[in-house]
Every structure is written in C-alpha cells, then in structure tokens.
Amino acid sequence: MAFPDVLPLLQEAGRLMTSAEHPAVYEKEGHSNFVTESDLAVQKFLISGLSAVLPESCFFAEEQEQNRLTEAPTWVIDPIDGTLNFMRQRRTSAISVALLYEKVPRFAWIYDPYQQRMYQAEKGKGAFCNGHRLEVSQYPFEQALVGYGTSPYDSSLAQKGAACALSFLQKAADLRRSGSAVLDFCDLAAGRLEIFFELCLSPWDYAAGALLVEEAGGVFSMPFEEKVRFDRPAGILAATPLCVQNALEVLTSFSLD
C-alpha cells in the first residue's frame, strides 16, 4: 500500500489544537488524568478525515471507549499527547497517529505543531522529519541521555519508576523528562536521546513512536511482556543498539509484580 496522504490532516489538526485559548478541562479516572475539549475536537476531526482516507478502517483512540484491536486496518490515535503540558501552555505536546495492519504498525506520523516538525515512518522505508532522514545516535551508555515517563495515572508504579530513574541517573549521563512520550520517541529517533522508558504506556502513546524509532535504527521492546503487542498498556523501553543491553539490565533488575 502507498503511504497515505494524511499530512494536510495532521497540519490542520495542529492548527485546531494550538488555536484554542482556554479549552475546557475534564477529569478522567486515575491520578492527574485529564482531557480537554481540544483533545476531543482534534480526535473527532482526525477520525472524520482518516475515515475518508481509508474507508472501512477501524479506530483505536485515547478518547474513545471500548477500544479493541483487530486484524483490520486500524488507526491508533493520540489527539494530544502531553495534555498536562498543553493545559499549562508548556508547548511540549504532539499529535500521534499510527496505521496498523494485522495488529502491527505499518505507517506512523507524529506532528509537533509548536516546532512545526512532521515525523513520519513507513515499515522498511525509514524514518523522517520534515523530509530529512532520521538516525539514532552512537553515544555509549555511559554518555546516554535517558528520557522517561512517570506513569502518573498509576500510583502503584511511582516508587518503582523513581527507583528506575535513579538507577539510570547513577549509570548513564543524565535524565530528561518532557511530559510527552511521543516527543521522547521523536528525540530518540533524531539522536537527541539514547534511551526512553516508562513502566506503563497505552498503545496510542507508543504505536507510532515504536515504528519511528525502529525505522531510525533503534530498538523498541516490552521488557515485562512475552512479546511486543499493541492492544493494551505495557511497560516499554526504546533505545539505541549501543545502549539497549545496558538499559534492559537496569529495567529488568526491577519487578512490576
């Protein structure tokens, strides 16, 4: 299948996202879990537009109930990743879309409307940002910058996540916390990070980023699962080939049980 032309849709979705001055905010289940009316508007816009791009396709989206991943062509959407950043006008949020066939990402797009950076990847064809090919860095583990997420919606992971971060801080170069998992995947693919981990991420947070990182020469894994899958929340690790083994040793020294 040819690369679907969804870039104009994502750019318009970005304008819809950034034009909102004071969007209403609603609380969802879990600690520090919010959705804004902009999340809902962007998702509605994307579902409408992507339905026209690929009729009869399915959707697996953050602000949608009863998500179920099947073998059918499925769009996995995070309308605004980094919602808390968006609410606080930190300008570190992005739109993430992946197209899965037989439950595996084939195409990925991540759009940062603040920096006007369009990241995209096709399985087997490479990863790009605004047309420029992306490649992961060659820094060794001791010089690695480690991005991480805190899984704030699951308070049971707080201490373990902090312990993992401390271990990385003691063994690698330093830590970075952006508040947007999809932008951390972009930074890794572009060579600005060497490692990114989070103990619990949802599919819309990692589906596009996983393909982007792999097509840039990196490794995407789920250290606490039997295999990589895209139908439920999981702990994830993305890393460069030079750093992945050390990163796995750090993470797997902790148990999620």
Side-chain angles (χ1 to χ4, degrees):
M1 177 183 175
F3 203 82
D5 185 14
V6 305
L7 303 190
L9 275 174
L10 285 170
Q11 290 167 336
E12 185 59 33
R15 286 189 285 271
L16 179 62
M17 168 182 159
T18 57
S19 65
E21 294 186 1
H22 301 288
V25 177
Y26 312 99
E27 289 192 40
K28 299 195 293 185
E29 183 179 356
H31 171 73
S32 189
N33 195 5
F34 304 98
V35 60
T36 72
E37 61 180 346
S38 294
D39 291 84
L40 301 174
V42 169
Q43 180 167 295
K44 182 178 180 181
F45 173 81
L46 286 174
I47 288 177
S48 176
L50 294 171
S51 295
V53 170
L54 192 60
E56 300 183 3
S57 54
C58 301
F59 290 88
F60 193 104
E62 179 171 13
E63 310 308 337
Q64 173 178 285
E65 296 182 358
Q66 299 179 340
N67 281 309
R68 188 171 68 89
L69 189 61
T70 69
E71 301 287 330
T74 301
W75 303 95
V76 180
I77 300 173
D78 192 339
I80 301 178
D81 183 71
T83 295
L84 193 55
N85 286 344
F86 175 70
M87 289 164 51
R88 303 294 293 273
Q89 301 180 1
R90 291 181 60 84
R91 301 174 66 86
T92 310
S93 308
I95 300 167
S96 178
V97 175
L99 179 56
L100 278 60
Y101 281 77
E102 298 178 341
K103 301 183 179 181
V104 177
R106 289 275 302 277
F107 303 95
W109 302 264
I110 296 172
Y111 182 49
D112 177 352
Y114 298 108
Q115 301 292 329
Q116 296 186 3
R117 290 173 174 168
M118 183 71 74
Y119 298 86
Q120 54 191 114
E122 179 179 357
K123 192 171 181 63
K125 300 292 183 65
F128 300 85
C129 177
N130 292 349
H132 300 286
R133 183 177 287 275
L134 300 176
E135 294 184 357
V136 298
S137 80
Q138 299 299 312
Y139 287 99
F141 180 68
E142 294 77 14
Q143 298 177 29
L145 276 179
V146 181
Y148 69 105
T150 54
S151 304
Y153 313 144
D154 187 344
S155 59
S156 69
L157 296 174
Q159 289 187 343
K160 292 176 182 177
C164 286
L166 176 60
S167 185
F168 275 113
L169 180 60
Q170 293 170 328
K171 297 173 183 177
D174 207 345
L175 302 175
R176 295 292 183 268
R177 165 77 171 131
S178 75
S180 169
V182 303
L183 288 179
D184 288 328
F185 285 119
C186 293
D187 280 345
L188 201 156
R192 297 187 289 265
L193 289 175
E194 285 65 56
I195 297 163
F196 171 65
F197 79 92
E198 188 153 0
L199 298 185
C200 185
L201 270 184
S202 293
W204 43 80
D205 295 313
Y206 61 74
L211 183 60
L212 188 78
V213 164
E214 289 181 340
E215 288 300 317
V219 180
F220 177 82
S221 65
M222 293 181 174
F224 308 106
E225 303 286 332
E226 292 182 3
K227 63 178 183 178
V228 172
R229 51 191 299 170
F230 295 87
D231 61 348
R232 65 187 187 190
I236 67 92
L237 170 68
T240 65
L242 284 180
C243 295
V244 65
Q245 188 56 47
N246 293 98
L248 277 170
E249 290 173 3
V250 171
L251 277 187
T252 55
S253 67
F254 297 88
S255 171
L256 295 190
D257 296 332

